[in-house]
Amino acid sequence: MPHEPQPQPPDELDAEAVRTWSSLALAALGRAREDIDAINVYPVADADTGTNLYLTAESADRALTAAFEDEALATSGTSLAGAVRAYARGALIGARGNSGTILAQLLRGVADVLGDEPAGREPGRLLAEALTRAAQEAYEAVAHPVEGTMLTVAAAAARAGETAGTAAGTAADVARAAYDAARAALAETPGQLAALGRAGVVDAGGCGLVAVLGALWQALSGQEPAAEPVRGRAVPVPQTPEPCAQEQDGPAYEVIYLLEASEAAVAELRARLDGLGDSLVVVGGDGLWNVHVHVDDPGAAVEAGVVAGRPYRIRITHFGDERRRGRGERAQRAVVAVVPGEGLAVLCGEAGATTVLAPPGEVPAVAELVDAIRRAHAREVVLLPGGAELRAAAAAAAEQARADGVRVAVIPTRSAVQGLAALAVHDPDGSFDEDVVAMTAAAGATRYAELAVAERQSFTSAGICQAGDVLGLIDGDVAVIGAGLTETAEAVLERMLGSGGELVTLVLGPEVPDALAERLEAYVQHGHLAVDTVTYRGGRYSAPLLIGVE
């Protein structure tokens, strides 16, 4: 059950206050989400800042709720330190977009102070110090801080909180001072950032931060803000004759991933990513980081993460024409593809799809698929699940998205190569029904195979295999058992091409040499002159070899 927010005594800064703050902040961002999306023009006018902030806060709230439930089983309750650390970690893990990533670092700054629970400190002074640390760490996390953004709002809130804390104010007094200062700073953002002034709006990320700080004051005082923190343009701002933000040139992709790496490796990663794109924000610490960057080469951004450590939960979003669509206007149609390897994620992303990485054997959560549909930011979405075991989750995500007004069609792809075939014939300018039919037909006309290495002795439809044998699965069933990858692949290809084909697609795993692809291409050309072959790198997590025959 959702936590019912309870007002706190005026100077009580404890775990229950954090829990109440989280619930109120999530509710406030939920109410303001569409309004914030509608005024999102910087750094990219893709109308998703409100959604990103809400999803980040939702992840933080889930982690905090889980911490309370876990602590309740083991001890008599959750400490302030445990609560703020869980809250910040949940935001870090689930951070979405530029604004959500900065919010995660703000919460980490709060946790760095409150997580120590210094004995004998006055709650007001402690909270003021936490807000100051939060603003400092947020600025440090952004490669090139820009004034007129939520960073400016956070700094103003911190300064006001510091003044109230120095004057021996209560925690509620500090929160109220920070909230009032944040609202005032928000009103000034159009005069600080040209993109906002041209559009006649205040900063969208700053709007979300005002909502979060209003929730903090309400949690500590029991008093509801006099007005909704954000509603539409939030405050009157002067408009120039230009009706909307001008078209911005910039990178075409947003890349986000969690990264397990050392601080030294992350320092090198920052420098490398800074040379690849913009809007670089790297937040976290203690071995876990959330990396956000806008680039033209998403593969290079992911590869930089591989060099630094272990990246996972990789999300690549193609901005497409969103930066030219003005405030809040959705694209007509988009594709969301679930893929089993990093290389495939980059390949599909470059083709314009929003991707979800799901290594073999893993099924993405329904919430992750719903998030991908939201990130696609379109009225119509074609969802390619990429595996039979993913269909239930895809169907559930589609139902949730339909409830939000998005038209979703799930194409029953059973392999990544079927998804590639469907994506190749995708026509965003045609009718939705015709596009779905064409993509379904292309996927259905593609036979698929996968090569895997047997982990143990077992019975298969092709006989008994031993540990270490190479298994050739055609359309999901073991058809060939071989001693090596090359001969097994050739046997699989011969069977598949025996019933005809015009195009062979090879997707190589991370440790498979290019020589294998060259040999298989020669094998196909020698025996089937009219058949073309294309080869891709599946990247980390993908199977040793995927084969598609169309």
Side-chain angles (χ1 to χ4, degrees), residues 246 296 327 422 473:
Q246 293 179 335
D296 280 321
R327 288 174 273 170
L473 293 84

Side-chain angles (χ1 to χ4, degrees), residues 12-283:
E12 192 72 34
L13 190 58
D14 58 13
E16 191 60 38
V18 176
R19 192 181 191 190
T20 300
W21 177 25
S22 175
S23 297
L24 291 172
L26 183 61
L29 288 172
R31 291 190 297 270
R33 183 173 70 180
E34 291 184 2
D35 291 328
I36 297 175
D37 282 345
I39 62 170
N40 171 205
V41 298
Y42 182 86
V44 176
D46 53 354
D48 66 355
T49 290
T51 298
N52 286 335
L53 286 167
Y54 177 80
L55 292 173
T56 302
E58 187 178 48
S59 176
D61 190 69
R62 281 199 305 268
L64 183 56
T65 298
F68 267 84
E69 292 174 349
D70 291 345
E71 288 278 346
L73 291 175
T75 66
S76 58
T78 302
S79 65
L80 172 62
V84 293
R85 287 171 182 161
Y87 192 33
R89 183 177 177 83
L92 174 68
I93 291 174
R96 300 291 195 273
N98 189 285
S99 56
T101 308
I102 293 174
L103 176 61
Q105 190 69 355
L106 288 167
L107 294 179
R108 178 179 172 85
V110 170
D112 283 346
V113 174
L114 300 186
D116 289 337
E117 286 192 298
R121 296 288 302 278
E122 295 179 358
R125 191 73 193 91
L126 194 59
L127 180 58
E129 185 180 329
L131 294 174
T132 298
R133 179 78 66 86
Q136 291 172 345
E137 292 192 9
Y139 267 91
E140 291 170 0
V142 178
H144 302 285
V146 174
E147 296 304 325
T149 63
M150 67 188 297
L151 293 175
T152 307
V153 175
R159 288 193 298 269
E162 191 70 32
T163 299
T166 302
T170 66
D173 291 337
V174 170
R176 177 59 190 267
Y179 171 56
D180 288 343
R183 296 189 73 190
L186 179 65
E188 299 297 323
T189 55
Q192 298 170 309
L193 191 55
L196 304 179
R198 287 194 298 265
V201 297
V202 293
D203 180 64
C207 281
L209 183 55
V210 166
V212 172
L213 291 172
L216 175 61
W217 172 59
Q218 185 179 355
L220 293 171
S221 69
Q223 300 181 53
E224 193 168 344
E228 196 65 25
V230 183
R231 181 62 65 186
R233 294 179 178 231
V235 292
V237 294
Q239 282 188 277
T240 66
E242 293 181 88
C244 183
Q246 293 179 335
E247 180 177 333
Q248 302 174 32
D249 293 326
Y253 300 92
E254 177 184 60
V255 178
I256 303 174
Y257 50 80
L258 289 178
L259 176 70
E260 293 179 357
S262 67
E263 289 195 18
V266 168
E268 295 180 6
L269 174 67
R270 288 178 192 269
R272 187 171 181 182
L273 291 179
D274 195 27
L276 290 176
D278 59 30
S279 296
L280 173 61
V281 186
V282 181
V283 303

Side-chain angles (χ1 to χ4, degrees), residues 412-425:
T413 52
R414 294 173 290 172
S415 170
V417 290
Q418 288 189 323
L420 292 175
L423 193 55
V425 301

